[in-house]
Amino acid sequence: MEDNTVLEDLELVYEKPHTLSDTAFHYCPGCGHGVAHRLIMEVVEEMGIEEQTIGVAPVGCSVFAYHYMMVDMQEAAHGRACAVATGIRRLLPEKYVFTYQGDGDLAAIGTAETIHTVNRGENIAIFFINNAIYGMTGGQMAPTTLCHQITSTSPYGREVEAMGHPLKMTDLVAHLPGAYYVTRQAVHTPNAVRKCKKAIRNAFEYQKLHKGTSFVEIVSNCPSGWRVNPADSIKWLEDNMLPMYPLGDLKVPGKN
Amino acid sequence: MIKGTVKIATELCKGCELCISACPQDCLALTNNINLKGYKFIQLKNDACTGCTNCALVCPDAVFTVFRQSKSSMKKAV
Ligand SMILES: Cc1ncc(C[n+]2csc(CCOP(=O)(O)OP(=O)(O)O)c2C)c(N)n1
Ligand code: SF4
Ligand code: SF4
């Protein structure tokens, strides 16, 4: 309804950031990637750093992140975003560098790059979108897939005896000395979105201090991979993802 | 009562309905029309909007622009 402005004296209280393109996202209806993209771009716009920011896109559903984020972007081979971001930030230490990676990208094929990048304390921000599944390739099991979760490669549910335990990458990297700020957020409710945006802001602010890596996990939904409708995916996330991946800070500067 | 309204980029909407459950005023609903992408899109169904921005926060496709009545005009109304 474009013409519903019957009220007078209206103040603009929210509009999408200019750093996010007007191109329609290719994501499925209800997918959390869209919210995560928007929040990162809101922070970049609010800090006025769009000219100084370089993002590294992953392989996964968000492989086209560079179509939507109106900052300089570099595509990396599957799982290698942290390694590419390391190179960029070392060559251009005055830039704000971030990676945007799914759980298949960051916690499966890219596990080594991720752990060593954080362990070295590279001054980058890592945004880790955990939807407990390989979305792009058709909903296969990821290291982050929950126990008993049904996926196309665990049709009877993930059995830990045969398929291992869900990998909590965020808890793991929080133990590394190079990690400066580690937090787990989500984007499924208005409040979660507000908190997530603060965490993203912190991750960018801490880059100025040259003290190490900021790691922000964003627990997200994949309605298509989970085979539920968008509204049910929010409930599924709350009932199943959050008990395994509880939200909150794991490492905060000055507190650990 | 604070009054607000939203502008909806209907061509970007995919009808996921996540904003419907996020809206505390119950003022959003899907239309029966479809957009060029073939999705039913979201619409304001009444004038109860307070401009709280909840819909804009959870929208995965950034379709909402939110407006709220300015403080000065609220004073005038008193
Ligand atoms: C070297 C290499 N191996 C495998 C693939 C196939 N592949 C593409 S995306 C993907 C997984 C993506 O999952 P995730 O990172 O969780 O992102 P999502 O799609 O869920 O956002 C895989 C295995 C590839 N493109 N390149
Ligand atoms: S497959 Fe999942 S992660 Fe990929 S766009 Fe669809 S809902 Fe999002
Ligand atoms: S701004 Fe708030 S009250 Fe208005 S439509 Fe959005 S969620 Fe509902």
Side-chain angles (χ1 to χ4, degrees):
Chain A
M1 223 159 82
E2 300 283 340
D3 57 349
N4 51 20
T5 40
V6 284
L7 298 166
E8 282 171 15
D9 277 330
L10 291 173
E11 273 173 1
L12 179 68
V13 281
Y14 180 83
E15 73 178 330
K16 79 170 183 183
H18 298 104
T19 38
L20 195 70
S21 83
D22 292 329
T23 320
F25 290 136
H26 69 282
Y27 301 116
C28 308
C31 174
H33 272 304
V35 184
H37 281 25
R38 176 168 51 81
L39 292 184
I40 295 170
M41 287 301 104
E42 280 179 13
V43 168
V44 165
E45 184 183 68
E46 282 167 23
M47 290 176 71
I49 55 169
E50 56 263 45
E51 297 296 327
Q52 293 106 277
T53 302
I54 303 175
V56 184
V59 169
C61 282
S62 48
V63 64
F64 293 135
Y66 48 79
H67 283 327
Y68 312 125
M69 300 185 181
M70 295 292 98
V71 295
D72 285 338
M73 297 284 288
Q74 168 68 50
E75 180 57 53
H78 200 13
R80 311 312 184 226
C82 284
V84 173
T86 297
I88 295 174
R89 172 75 200 209
R90 285 190 178 199
L91 279 171
L92 304 166
E94 76 289 359
K95 299 280 183 187
Y96 293 85
V97 180
F98 71 89
T99 73
Y100 183 101
Q101 301 175 262
D103 47 312
D105 192 84
L106 179 142
I109 192 169
T111 316
E113 281 78 2
T114 307
I115 290 178
H116 286 293
T117 299
V118 181
N119 196 45
R120 291 191 308 267
E122 300 294 339
N123 288 302
I124 62 169
I126 299 173
F127 300 119
F128 165 39
I129 316 302
N130 179 9
N131 54 20
I133 209 155
Y134 287 8
M136 184 196 209
T137 42
Q140 291 84 357
M141 186 179 74
T144 45
T145 294
L146 304 173
C147 301
H148 309 299
Q149 186 182 336
I150 291 171
T151 69
S152 58
T153 47
S154 58
Y156 305 108
R158 180 181 192 159
E159 294 296 340
V160 289
E161 295 78 20
M163 304 166 195
H165 296 271
L167 180 59
K168 293 177 143 188
M169 271 308 264
T170 305
D171 298 61
L172 209 143
V173 299
H175 292 296
L176 301 175
Y180 188 61
Y181 172 58
V182 181
T183 184
R184 186 184 288 115
Q185 303 293 330
V187 288
H188 64 302
T189 62
N191 254 342
V193 171
R194 283 190 194 97
K195 285 190 190 150
C196 185
K197 185 171 166 185
K198 285 202 186 106
I200 293 170
R201 173 91 192 214
N202 289 342
F204 277 103
E205 296 282 359
Y206 290 148
Q207 278 200 45
K208 286 186 206 158
L209 309 176
H210 301 263
K211 290 240 171 110
T213 313
S214 293
F215 190 98
V216 181
E217 173 177 345
I218 302 175
V219 177
S220 183
N221 58 331
C222 173
S224 301
W226 299 352
R227 290 153 211 246
V228 290
N229 67 39
D232 290 346
S233 77
I234 301 300
K235 189 164 183 333
W236 197 92
L237 184 150
E238 279 173 348
D239 293 348
N240 300 285
M241 293 285 279
L242 297 188
M244 185 66 194
Y245 301 111
L247 305 184
D249 294 334
L250 285 88
K251 195 172 196 178
V252 181
K255 281 198 191 158
N256 297 83
Chain B
M1 188 71 183
I2 324 152
K3 282 292 199 179
T5 193
V6 293
K7 199 173 139 218
I8 298 167
T10 52
E11 284 307 326
L12 295 181
C13 179
K14 295 177 184 151
C16 74
E17 304 185 69
L18 296 188
C19 54
I20 295 183
S21 36
C23 175
Q25 297 296 110
D26 188 25
C27 48
L28 295 165
L30 282 187
T31 57
N32 277 323
N33 301 325
I34 54 167
N35 62 18
L36 286 175
K37 281 196 180 280
Y39 294 112
K40 285 187 175 182
F41 51 85
I42 211 78
Q43 201 179 33
L44 269 179
K45 66 174 180 188
N46 56 37
D47 62 0
C49 176
T50 57
C52 71
T53 73
N54 270 9
C55 51
L57 288 173
V58 298
C59 179
D61 289 277
V63 310
F64 291 98
T65 309
V66 186
F67 301 89
R68 205 180 291 156
Q69 210 170 18
S70 65
K71 289 207 181 77
S72 55
S73 75
M74 279 166 65
K75 268 187 214 132
K76 261 185 258 161
V78 175

